[in-house]
Amino acid sequence: MPDSAVSVPARPRSFRPGLLSPKVLRTEVLAGLVVALALIPEAISFSIIAGVDPAIGLFASFTMAVTIAVVGGRPAMISAATGAVALVIAPLNRQHGFGYLVAAVILAGILQIVLGALGVGRLMRFIPRSVMVGFVNSLAILVFMAQVPQLWNVPWAVYPLFAAGLALMVLFPRITTAVPAPLVSIVILTVITVAAGIAVPTVGDKGALPSSLPVPGLPDVPFTLDTLTTIAPYAFAMALVGLMESLMTAQLVDEITDTRSSKTREAVGQGVANIVTGFFGGMGGCAMIGQTMINVKVSGARTRLSTFLSGVFLMVLCIVFGPVVSDIPMAALVAVMVMVCFATFDWHSVAPRTLKRMPAGEITVMCVTVGCVVATHNLAVGVVTGSVTAMIIFARRVARLADVTSVTDPDGGQAVYAVTGQLFFASSNELVGRFDYAGDPDKVVIDLSAAHIWDASSVAALDAIEHRYAQRGKTVRITGLNEPSARLHDSLSRDLTAAG
């Protein structure tokens, strides 16, 4: 894409429901309702992982969604309580209590704002596409794996209900897309189970729903340096994991909707949302890939209204319609999430035709990312490992492009070497051994017209070459340096050898 096409990033649309057409408004409202229904069992499950009351996870999902709808950078993306954050803060809650957990959430929010202001969002451009594909595929696998326990050792009636839910979501869009198929599936299966008195696991079996709104307050901890040192490692880990998952999800939604979003604003917005969540006694959170895919890909939402309403509907469903929501069969929600997994997974990336044409390094990076995420259930580990693997493969590939060739001198009074390629730590290490120090004449010319010096390692290698020739009473003249290479060479040459 030409630079002119991306010089002015598109501003995310603000949350202005009054400017939405009736059709878009209906889509956003119904999408928010579907997401809210899907959030309830997820939030309860993540609360159990964190070791807190189910209401804590539901409160966090409410405050995260409502706040991020206003301050976030990516419209239509859903943020709520997540399993990644729950895993990070669960040990703190077990060892020190809920007050320390809340304090860590607030501190994590502050750290996210700082990291966002420092431009951490811009680091997204260094994430290779193969890592993004691995991230998407591993999330689809993790979400699917989380649904398997809901289909294991359950009454036989769960299976036909689950199959019926899948069939409804596949067939109903062929009749009309005015109402999201997941919502239709949930309503129909709930009516069937209640009317027929079918005994199957329901949302109510996951835990009690809250009966009132959360109340703001300060965390119940001593405000001392000891408290800060206790919560700081957990807060920092939560900040990094939350930002990584949120920014990767935002990048994915950008690609799906063919729009751009402000990653800096998203990072800061996640911090603000976590601070608000902490003061309301929530367990914190970040972007949710599964619910975001329901909102964007399945329901077709595109604005902040759906995100805002998902949080509002969540509390309304819990407080006002708690008994009704408690009767929703888990089979209906599991069917929705399985369809989300199917839609999220990049099937093209594993097609035999694609794998035959894809470079082996790209496939390796994708597999490493997926393997690490699935093995550790930690997105940060997978993304970092995949990115490091991609960098190593890239460095090895570029290092092979650097070469040294001997150029014949007509007069025979000097040796001329032409160096081509990119000189950096990986390629310059072999540079020193490519010259004939003993056999060359007294004058040696190293032509770098077709090369570029990137780092101190390359300058040090050139100094070592000059030093070896000097030990034999021979002189070296380096020519052809481009301006950036010449500046770097002039500023570092000799100093590196002296330091060594």
Side-chain angles (χ1 to χ4, degrees):
M1 186 180 292
D3 291 341
S4 59
V6 297
S7 57
V8 181
R11 289 186 65 186
R13 276 196 290 173
S14 298
F15 165 40
R16 296 189 181 96
L19 300 181
L20 302 180
S21 67
K23 181 179 179 181
V24 173
L25 185 61
R26 182 185 67 231
T27 299
E28 300 296 314
V29 171
L30 293 177
L33 179 58
V34 174
V35 171
L37 289 169
L39 275 174
I40 294 174
E42 294 283 303
I44 294 175
S45 298
F46 298 147
S47 299
I48 294 171
I49 293 174
V52 298
D53 188 90
I56 303 302
L58 293 166
F59 288 156
S61 297
F62 162 64
T63 53
M64 286 291 298
V66 170
T67 307
I68 206 68
V70 179
V71 301
R74 173 67 258 177
M77 190 169 77
I78 304 298
S79 292
T82 59
V85 170
L87 287 170
V88 170
I89 60 177
L92 178 64
N93 182 57
R94 286 196 302 267
Q95 296 171 19
H96 299 280
F98 180 67
Y100 283 83
L101 181 151
V102 173
V105 170
I106 296 173
L107 180 58
I110 295 173
L111 292 174
Q112 287 177 330
I113 292 176
V114 173
L115 291 171
L118 292 175
V120 70
R122 290 192 291 271
L123 295 177
M124 285 301 299
R125 59 184 173 176
F126 296 107
I127 304 295
R129 184 185 180 279
S130 51
V131 174
M132 274 295 300
V133 173
F135 167 79
V136 171
N137 290 348
S138 60
L139 279 172
I141 294 171
L142 284 183
V143 173
F144 178 80
M145 290 171 60
Q147 310 312 310
V148 172
Q150 308 298 332
L151 300 173
W152 193 258
N153 291 329
V154 293
W156 68 267
V158 168
Y159 301 108
L161 287 172
F162 171 70
L166 293 177
L168 281 168
M169 283 183 284
V170 171
L171 300 175
F172 189 79
R174 300 181 182 180
I175 302 173
T176 179
T177 57
V179 181
L183 180 59
V184 174
S185 175
I186 292 170
V187 171
I188 290 177
L189 294 185
T190 302
V191 170
I192 290 174
T193 54
V194 173
I198 303 174
V200 291
T202 63
V203 171
D205 296 331
K206 285 286 185 179
L209 302 180
S211 57
S212 61
L213 290 171
V215 178
L218 294 175
D220 185 18
V221 294
F223 292 90
T224 63
L225 184 60
D226 287 342
T227 299
L228 181 62
T229 55
T230 299
I231 67 174
Y234 298 95
F236 187 68
M238 176 184 165
L240 290 181
V241 170
L243 280 183
M244 188 169 294
E245 187 164 350
S246 299
L247 294 176
M248 293 285 283
T249 304
Q251 184 75 15
L252 176 61
V253 178
D254 286 355
E255 294 180 4
I256 292 173
T257 60
D258 195 23
T259 57
R260 298 191 67 188
S261 61
S262 171
K263 303 303 182 294
T264 297
R265 179 176 171 181
E266 183 60 40
V268 174
Q270 289 290 331
V272 173
N274 272 306
I275 291 173
V276 172
T277 298
F279 281 119
F280 276 91
M283 57 181 277
C286 61
M288 298 188 75
I289 183 68
Q291 276 64 22
T292 298
M293 290 300 101
I294 292 176
N295 197 45
V296 174
K297 207 166 186 178
V298 179
S299 302
R302 292 292 183 272
T303 76
R304 301 178 187 277
L305 180 59
S306 57
T307 306
F308 180 83
L309 290 179
S310 67
V312 173
F313 284 149
L314 175 64
M315 281 294 98
V316 172
L317 289 170
C318 291
I319 295 172
V320 181
F321 300 101
V324 176
V325 172
S326 296
D327 288 334
I328 295 176
M330 285 301 299
L333 297 174
V334 170
V336 171
M337 297 309 296
V338 168
M339 285 298 295
V340 168
C341 298
F342 185 84
T344 301
F345 195 90
D346 187 348
W347 297 101
H348 175 72
S349 66
V350 295
R353 184 178 177 184
T354 303
L355 295 176
K356 286 180 181 178
R357 294 183 298 174
M358 189 74 68
E362 301 285 313
I363 298 174
T364 300
V365 171
M366 181 180 70
C367 292
V368 166
T369 304
V370 172
C372 289
V373 172
V374 173
T376 64
H377 286 224
N378 190 320
L379 295 168
V381 172
V383 172
V384 170
T385 306
S387 298
V388 170
T389 304
M391 291 175 187
I392 294 173
I393 292 174
F394 174 76
R396 288 173 59 86
R397 186 182 303 158
V398 175
R400 294 194 187 102
L401 299 178
D403 195 18
V404 179
T405 55
S406 178
V407 181
T408 303
D409 178 28
D411 299 330
Q414 63 182 7
V416 181
Y417 290 91
V419 180
T420 59
Q422 308 301 312
L423 301 182
F424 64 111
F425 63 90
S427 59
S428 61
N429 287 336
E430 298 181 2
L431 195 64
V432 180
R434 301 293 296 276
F435 295 84
D436 185 5
Y437 301 100
D440 284 339
D442 291 343
K443 293 181 179 179
V444 178
V445 176
I446 301 177
D447 183 7
L448 296 175
S449 301
H452 186 96
I453 298 176
W454 287 104
D455 60 6
S457 297
S458 303
V459 177
L462 292 173
D463 284 353
I465 293 169
E466 291 185 76
H467 180 66
R468 290 196 182 188
Y469 276 114
Q471 287 179 323
R472 292 167 174 82
K474 302 175 182 181
T475 60
V476 175
R477 183 164 59 93
I478 297 175
T479 64
L481 287 171
N482 57 36
E483 186 177 345
S485 298
R487 276 201 308 268
L488 183 63
H489 183 266
D490 293 343
S491 65
L492 296 179
S493 184
R494 306 287 187 274
D495 291 342
L496 296 173
T497 304

